[in-house]
């Protein structure tokens, strides 16, 4: 696992000393991602033309030394690499070029910016095991979440009730890293909307390594894989 301070050291290596985790500019974010992508694509010309999100290897992930996720849009199939950029309590902000970003609250996609649509921050409670990870044996059967579906900033919240459906335990391979996970389905409904999510979870501590989550009617679902987690 990669500590967040190691990301700060990486930024220094990239000569971004004026760039801080507390305040970032668009150019700064682009520089960080460009450096990571260029590092992944370095090598022969054949390797350079490949999509880094598709061709990245475990050796490259280890050599980068950053906390990294891969995100795919279900509606388009487009996938991208996002780098952990800021941590605030249980929330980690991952960034891509042009200020595209995704915020994970625990394993929950809490907000997005710059994808097909923006997902306003979700309202969650500490009973939600997706937002506040815990062993699967301690998960409640149902929880509630509040979604802002206005697409215009703060609007009227839509409350949904979600039911967890535990599935089988198996081995998940994420770019050469094999993990024992339990697949948990989630069915949510309320306020005239219905959707389903899926989580691949470490049953011992509740850490979510891979997930497919609904993020709005326009954006549909985003699928993320944790290529390298951020160590506390």
């Amino acid at each position: 696992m990669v500590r967040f301070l190691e990301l700060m050291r990486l930024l220094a290596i990239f000569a971004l000393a004026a760039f801080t985790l507390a305040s970032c500019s668009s150019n700064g974010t682009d520089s960080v991602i460009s450096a990571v992508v260029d590092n992944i694509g370095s090598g022969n010309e054949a390797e350079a033309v490949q999509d880094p999100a598709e061709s990245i290897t475990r050796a490259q992930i280890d050599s980068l030394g950053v906390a990294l996720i891969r995100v795919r849009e279900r509606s388009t199939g487009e996938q991208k690499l996002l780098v952990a950029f800021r941590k605030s309590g249980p929330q980690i902000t991952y960034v891509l070029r042009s200020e595209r970003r995704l915020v994970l609250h625990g394993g929950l996609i809490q907000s997005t910016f710059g994808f097909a649509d923006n997902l306003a921050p979700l309202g969650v409670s500490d009973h939600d095991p997706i937002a506040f990870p815990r062993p699967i044996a301690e998960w409640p059967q149902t929880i509630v979440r509040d979604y802002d579906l206005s697409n215009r900033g703060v609007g009227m919240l839509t409350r949904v009730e979600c039911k967890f459906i535990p599935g089988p335990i198996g081995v998940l391979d994420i770019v050469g890293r094999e993990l024992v996970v339990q697949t948990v389905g989630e069915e949510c409904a309320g306020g005239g909307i219905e959707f389903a999510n899926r989580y691949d979870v470490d049953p011992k501590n509740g850490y979510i390594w891979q997930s497919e989550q609904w993020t709005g009617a326009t954006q549909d679902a985003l699928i993320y894989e944790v290529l390298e987690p951020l160590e506390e």
Side-chain angles (χ1 to χ4, degrees):
M1 292 188 179
V2 176
R3 296 184 181 277
F4 206 52
L5 289 178
E6 293 179 32
L7 175 56
M8 295 176 66
R9 288 196 293 271
L10 182 70
L11 299 183
I13 292 173
F14 292 147
L16 298 173
F19 187 62
T20 67
L21 294 178
S23 174
C24 60
S25 69
S26 176
N27 289 337
T29 301
D30 284 359
S31 298
V32 175
I33 305 303
S34 294
V36 171
V37 171
D38 289 346
N39 194 343
I40 295 171
S42 63
N44 61 43
E45 293 182 2
E47 292 173 336
V49 299
Q50 294 179 358
D51 176 7
E54 179 69 30
S55 63
I56 191 169
T57 66
R58 178 54 54 183
Q60 289 172 324
I61 294 170
D62 292 341
S63 67
L64 286 171
V66 297
L68 193 67
I69 64 173
R70 179 165 57 187
V71 179
R72 179 163 61 90
E73 299 179 44
R74 184 171 67 183
S75 60
T76 65
E78 179 185 12
Q79 62 180 358
K80 298 294 182 183
L81 299 174
L82 281 74
V83 178
F85 184 68
R86 179 186 296 116
K87 186 176 189 302
S88 178
Q91 297 180 341
I92 301 175
T93 299
Y94 291 86
V95 296
L96 182 65
R97 287 178 175 150
S98 303
E99 286 301 297
R100 184 179 292 188
R101 60 182 179 268
L102 178 149
V103 177
L104 286 183
H105 188 302
L108 180 70
I109 300 177
Q110 189 180 37
S111 63
T112 66
F113 181 83
F115 288 87
D117 198 4
N118 298 333
L119 172 67
L122 304 185
V124 298
S125 73
D126 58 7
H127 298 296
D128 191 333
I130 309 303
F132 296 92
R134 68 203 68 176
I136 288 182
E138 300 175 13
W139 285 26
Q141 291 184 330
T142 62
I143 53 94
V144 296
R145 291 195 199 107
D146 293 322
Y147 285 76
D148 178 357
L149 303 178
S150 68
N151 296 325
R152 297 180 180 177
V154 178
M156 183 176 295
L157 296 179
T158 299
R159 173 158 291 187
V160 299
E161 182 176 47
C162 300
K163 176 178 66 175
F164 296 115
I165 306 171
I169 293 178
V171 176
L172 174 67
D173 186 302
I174 298 182
V175 192
R177 172 178 279 163
E178 293 190 344
L179 305 152
V180 176
V181 298
Q182 182 169 1
T183 298
V184 179
E186 181 184 51
E187 296 179 351
C188 302
I193 61 173
E194 296 182 5
F195 57 88
N197 296 330
R198 189 198 77 247
Y199 309 98
D200 291 313
V201 189
D202 184 325
K204 295 182 179 179
N205 59 24
Y207 187 84
I208 296 171
W209 287 96
Q210 179 175 266
S211 178
E212 180 175 351
Q213 297 180 37
W214 185 81
T215 57
T218 303
Q219 189 167 268
D220 194 27
L222 295 179
I223 301 163
Y224 76 79
E225 303 167 274
V226 180
L227 304 189
E228 187 62 46
L230 179 63
E231 185 174 333
E232 298 288 345

